[in-house]
Amino acid sequence: ENVNPCDSSNEEEFNFDDPNRERIKEYVPEPSTESNDESLGHLSVFAPDVIRIQLGVDGREFAPLFSHQVFGKNEEIVGFDSPSVTINYTQDTLIPTVHFRHRGVILSNENMTSGISCTEVVNDILKLAPADYVEPSRWAELASTPSDFQPPGTLIDDYN
């Protein structure tokens, strides 16, 4: 299924309250608020602020420190109102999927004619995703299937 990254039908909003956010911000520069050729100001968001990585359905979420490998040197996602990206991995096999949501597209015709376009969020991530990536609907099925995975060896202790 092809996903149109500029489709404004995704209106679910997420509130990502990461307890490590302040510690992470010590290492991540704040996005520029100055209007210049390199920053798109209100048309973009700093990608690490809206990306979460999660292990399993109810696993702990965390934010990446950097996203320049996917979203360029400014680490910006352009053209969406309240974007959120969640990259989920199944707990036992680490099969990934990408959930991208937003409230709508905020680019005007004037912006588009000047060469500014929406970031192809899912496609940009998938270019670097592992080969076993699955669509979100298939991932939900895999993640909800009970696992019979048992690591080799004898359990000596655990952290429960």
Side-chain angles (χ1 to χ4, degrees):
E1 175 180 312
N2 291 332
V3 176
N4 179 355
C6 289
D7 179 8
S8 62
S9 64
N10 303 317
E11 297 190 4
E12 188 171 341
E13 180 180 14
F14 284 91
N15 180 13
F16 292 121
D17 292 323
D18 186 73
N20 294 316
R21 172 55 65 205
E22 291 307 312
R23 182 187 58 77
I24 291 169
K25 283 188 176 184
E26 293 174 15
Y27 302 101
V28 179
E30 289 297 321
S32 173
T33 55
E34 297 177 13
S35 181
N36 61 38
D37 291 321
E38 292 186 15
S39 176
L40 298 171
H42 71 283
L43 297 176
S44 69
V45 296
F46 187 57
D49 286 346
V50 298
I51 297 172
R52 295 297 174 268
I53 299 171
Q54 183 177 24
L55 182 64
V57 177
D58 297 322
R60 185 180 171 112
E61 295 180 344
F62 63 93
L65 288 177
F66 305 104
S67 64
H68 62 275
Q69 302 90 337
V70 177
F71 298 109
K73 70 177 183 173
N74 289 338
E75 299 184 276
E76 292 178 308
I77 294 176
V78 178
F80 299 99
D81 180 16
S82 302
S84 68
V85 178
T86 304
I87 302 170
N88 291 95
Y89 291 89
T90 55
Q91 291 185 29
D92 57 346
T93 59
L94 297 179
I95 294 174
T97 194
V98 177
H99 298 272
F100 173 59
R101 295 175 180 87
H102 57 87
R103 286 185 163 179
V105 177
I106 58 174
L107 286 180
S108 66
N109 289 338
E110 179 182 319
N111 298 128
M112 290 181 170
T113 57
S114 66
I116 299 172
S117 61
C118 294
T119 302
E120 302 250 353
V121 176
V122 175
N123 291 335
D124 288 350
I125 293 171
L126 291 183
K127 288 176 191 173
L128 301 170
D132 58 354
Y133 165 84
V134 296
E135 291 294 324
S137 58
R138 173 80 174 111
W139 186 90
E141 179 185 325
L142 292 171
S144 64
T145 303
S147 172
D148 60 352
F149 174 75
Q150 183 68 32
T154 304
L155 177 64
I156 297 173
D157 203 357
D158 64 20
Y159 293 97
N160 291 329

